[in-house]
Amino acid sequence: MRSSSGLKWSCCTVMEDASEALSIWRLTVNHILCVRLMNWPIDRYCRSRRLSPLDRALTLVHTEASRQIIVAASKSCHRFGITPGLTLTQAKSLKHDLLHDEYAPHEDARALQAIARWVMRFSSVVQAFTSFRSLVKDEPPLPGTGLFMEVGGSERLYQSLPRIVRLVQHAFNRWRIDACTAIAPTPAAAWALTSQPANDGRIISTAELDDAVASLNSSSLRLSFATVTTLDHLGLRTIAQLRGLPREVLPARFGAAILKRLDQLTGRLAEPLTPVIEYQPIIARMEFEGAIESLEAIHAVLSELLGQVIVLLQKQGRGARSIQLDLKDQADNVTSKILPLAQPSRDARRLFTLLCLSLESLNLSKRNWKKPTLLQGFTAITVRVLASEPIENQQVYLLNQEEDHARRELNALVDVLQIRLGREGIGKPQLDPSHLPERQCRFVPVGATVAKSPEMRAHLLDLPPLPTLLYPMPEPIDVV
């Protein structure tokens, strides 16, 4: 092309690729994979005890005063008419040999977090959610346990979205966990699809969203039990019927939550995911311009570092099970002391006392009754948590105060003895399943890992070999 001034111009044409092949230049579209755990409390309980949820009529109950309300029931209970919301007495009248146990929501949440970290191989954004709110109110619990994953960025890595769905389904089938999966542009739509087992493994796009959710039940919008009951009473049982009503009348008649859920379903209102965060290392360190030689200064630094460690433990909801103290001298030599704990703890006063005792066991101080000093000064002090465990706040009941106090005193005694005598100097009895009487019990160090295989157990026992010949009748032996 030539302009009026005589200059030569060159032009090019940019065309959009309308093919369906993957391209790094196209706009990113959300692909939310929802894994809905249909009966997570029962599945988690059976997995922890190696039971089959299909063979037993099992229920988990929540005790409120003198009432025991069923929170979850296995599939075997359905043919007897036993459903969540009934009392244990009513369920026993339907099946007298019904198995039951206490509901442990904290154990469910802890196991769900572990599964969420495992599925992070499919996506870096994984949200785990549970619902225990219905236990407080006088209404049956609503299903509200599952995982949300943003798998749009993993499509190229795993070749296709259907392959990701198949891999996730295979993992949960291998774990014997009843789950339903679906992929949709929004978390609300993915959750609504998993409300029907027929949609297991279904993948929908933005263009298919309206038609896919129109026939779904209104209870799939994650509404409260009272709102779902009101809608069912008025005959508004599908999402299409709700969306056919004027938007301005929905908040006045059913509350603001229903309009919020509808907007989240279509993507008009964003619903950002809260990803599970990997446990970050808990380390507190302080360096000094010159070497410090006073024990009082060391104790002050330890108190400051422990305060930082306690804050990090509280953010993660965990308690320290093993702490390492590193002292660096002027020659860059590091003196380390590992502090094992009998129970996970984030009590600053208790941990400070134990760290001071561990300093005494290192024999670093001179014998000077006027001003205790160190044999050599330290230029840096580091406190790091080697091992931690989830810990939740528990209420001490009036009748169990003495038992709780005795347990704390025993744990404090064990911690002090481990510092004085070493970790191997104090043990606890451990029962092992064995047909040999002498191998049914042994003493292991406190906090040691239990050996799983019989060969490892026999090695740790260090017992003499069994006799090769046994008399038919035992003969008395005189012992002086």
Side-chain angles (χ1 to χ4, degrees), residues 279 282 313 316 318-322 344 385-390:
Y279 295 129
I282 301 177
L313 287 172
Q316 298 185 10
R318 304 176 72 84
R321 191 65 190 269
S322 179
V385 178
L386 297 180
S388 62
E389 294 181 5

Side-chain angles (χ1 to χ4, degrees), residues 310 313 318-321 341 343-348 350-351 391:
I310 295 301
L313 287 172
R318 304 176 72 84
R321 191 65 190 269
L341 299 174
Q343 294 292 331
S345 173
R346 53 173 180 248
D347 186 355
R350 175 189 174 191
L351 296 178
I391 185 174

Side-chain angles (χ1 to χ4, degrees), residues 389-408:
E389 294 181 5
I391 185 174
E392 60 271 356
N393 297 322
Q394 296 181 353
Q395 181 179 1
V396 179
Y397 295 97
L398 181 63
L399 300 179
N400 296 335
Q401 289 184 358
E402 296 182 359
E403 181 180 352
D404 182 74
H405 179 72
R407 183 170 56 253
R408 292 185 179 182

Side-chain angles (χ1 to χ4, degrees), residues 29-31 184-186 204-211 266:
V29 179
N30 290 335
H31 296 285
T186 63
I204 64 172
S205 61
T206 305
E208 303 170 339
L209 178 60
D210 292 339
D211 296 336
T266 57

Side-chain angles (χ1 to χ4, degrees), residues 39-314:
N39 204 358
W40 171 239
I42 294 294
D43 292 338
R44 196 276 311 167
Y45 182 87
C46 293
R47 276 182 52 83
S48 63
R49 289 158 178 79
R50 297 183 179 180
L51 302 176
S52 176
L54 301 177
D55 300 337
R56 299 171 180 267
L58 173 66
T59 58
L60 298 178
V61 299
H62 174 69
T63 304
E64 294 181 356
S66 59
R67 299 177 59 195
Q68 290 180 307
I69 303 175
I70 295 179
V71 176
S74 62
K75 291 184 177 179
S76 302
C77 297
H78 295 171
R79 63 174 179 264
F80 300 101
I82 301 175
T83 58
L86 297 178
T87 62
L88 184 59
T89 304
Q90 295 172 341
K92 286 281 188 179
S93 63
L94 298 175
K95 184 173 176 55
H96 66 281
D97 57 345
L98 178 68
L99 300 178
H100 70 278
D101 203 347
E102 191 68 22
Y103 178 47
H106 298 293
E107 296 294 332
D108 291 348
R110 183 182 306 175
L112 185 63
Q113 290 289 325
I115 292 181
R117 289 184 175 85
W118 188 91
V119 299
M120 288 182 71
R121 64 193 63 194
F122 301 109
S123 172
S124 59
V125 181
V126 179
Q127 176 183 348
F129 57 93
T130 55
S131 176
F132 309 125
R133 61 185 182 276
S134 58
L135 297 180
V136 182
K137 302 177 182 179
D138 189 14
E139 60 184 34
L142 296 176
T145 304
L147 302 170
F148 283 138
M149 293 181 283
E150 168 54 58
V151 294
S154 306
E155 182 179 0
R156 182 178 295 273
L157 177 63
Y158 289 94
Q159 301 176 2
S160 65
L161 293 178
R163 188 169 183 268
I164 297 178
V165 174
R166 289 195 301 268
L167 291 175
V168 173
Q169 289 176 338
H170 175 72
F172 281 89
N173 291 335
R174 181 162 46 89
W175 295 334
R176 294 180 299 175
I177 298 177
D178 188 11
C180 185
T181 59
I183 294 182
T186 63
W191 173 263
L193 288 175
T194 57
S195 62
Q196 295 183 358
N199 293 326
D200 188 16
R202 188 176 179 182
I203 302 175
I204 64 172
S205 61
T206 305
E208 303 170 339
L209 178 60
D210 292 339
D211 296 336
V213 302
S215 61
L216 297 179
N217 197 290
S218 58
S219 60
S220 61
L221 292 176
R222 295 176 294 174
L223 301 172
S224 64
F225 181 78
T227 304
V228 172
T229 304
T230 303
L231 293 175
D232 185 72
H233 180 71
L234 296 176
L236 302 174
R237 297 181 175 87
T238 63
I239 296 178
Q241 293 174 340
L242 287 177
R243 298 183 65 183
L245 297 178
R247 288 177 55 88
E248 58 272 8
V249 303
L250 290 177
R253 299 188 62 181
F254 308 107
I258 189 170
L259 196 59
K260 173 184 175 182
R261 294 304 187 189
L262 287 174
D263 291 341
Q264 290 177 345
L265 180 73
T266 57
R268 178 181 295 183
L269 180 62
E271 186 179 359
L273 301 182
T274 304
V276 175
I277 302 176
E278 280 289 341
Y279 295 129
Q280 302 295 328
I282 301 177
I283 302 176
R285 179 181 176 86
M286 185 176 294
E287 297 182 356
F288 317 103
E289 295 182 357
I292 57 174
E293 301 180 352
S294 173
L295 283 177
E296 295 180 355
I298 295 291
H299 292 169
V301 172
L302 287 180
S303 178
E304 177 68 21
L305 295 180
L306 273 179
Q308 301 177 17
V309 169
I310 295 301
V311 171
L312 296 176
L313 287 172
Q314 289 177 346

